[in-house]
Amino acid sequence: MTHLTADSRGLILSCPSCSQANRQVYRQWDAAIRCGRCKEELERPPAVIEVRDPLSFRALVAEVSGPVFVDFWAPWCGPCRSVAPEIERLAGLMEREALIIKVNTEEVPEVASEHRIESIPTFVVFHRGIEMARTSGSMSATRLKSFIQQAIR
Ligand SMILES: [Zn+2]
């Protein structure tokens, strides 16, 4: 499973033809973009997105028009590690219907405290910048997918 990185303006996609890094801005999260170097059309692969700073997190959640699923986790947390493969499967199941992101609460504690994350793993669904639902604990990719679908219904 591919892991993508994000900055304060968008997702970073690597071009499969020329390996140029390109930015898919958050407002165009569901649109195809063209590689800045070779003009090849780039589609975002099904991927888990790692968000590593508060500015990028806030921009992504505020600007992406579709559902954003966030896995708040930490490296020392056993249940987080055991659910990690399900999060990857979830990214495959949701393809381009939602963004599946991971926030390491050790690396970005500001985001965890802004959203009052008290236990991990905690999963939160945002839609158009608003928290729609949250849940905690281990579960399968298919259950997580229905959790997202119910949250945005
Ligand atoms: Zn290219």
Side-chain angles (χ1 to χ4, degrees), residues 2-107:
T2 321
H3 281 219
L4 293 178
T5 54
D7 68 13
S8 62
R9 292 163 56 202
L11 306 172
I12 310 304
L13 306 185
S14 163
C15 174
S17 312
C18 75
S19 71
Q20 168 81 17
N22 289 270
R23 185 184 290 103
Q24 181 180 40
V25 298
Y26 290 128
R27 291 189 196 287
Q28 294 182 335
W29 73 285
D30 56 352
I33 60 169
R34 285 197 181 274
C35 173
R37 185 193 282 165
C38 73
K39 310 300 175 201
E40 178 89 0
E41 191 169 271
L42 302 182
E43 278 203 41
R44 179 164 45 80
V48 173
I49 297 150
E50 298 186 34
V51 179
R52 301 214 132 103
D53 67 279
L55 276 183
S56 302
F57 181 85
R58 290 177 200 131
L60 186 155
V61 164
E63 292 171 26
V64 167
S65 59
V68 177
F69 171 94
V70 187
D71 169 21
F72 287 96
W73 70 289
W76 49 263
C77 156
C80 299
R81 285 197 303 270
S82 66
V83 82
E86 296 302 320
I87 304 298
E88 306 226 329
R89 260 174 234 131
L90 176 66
L93 290 176
M94 297 306 283
E95 293 209 37
R96 276 168 281 277
E97 294 169 59
L99 290 186
I100 307 303
I101 78 174
K102 285 176 83 102
V103 171
N104 178 342
T105 55
E106 299 263 276
E107 199 174 42

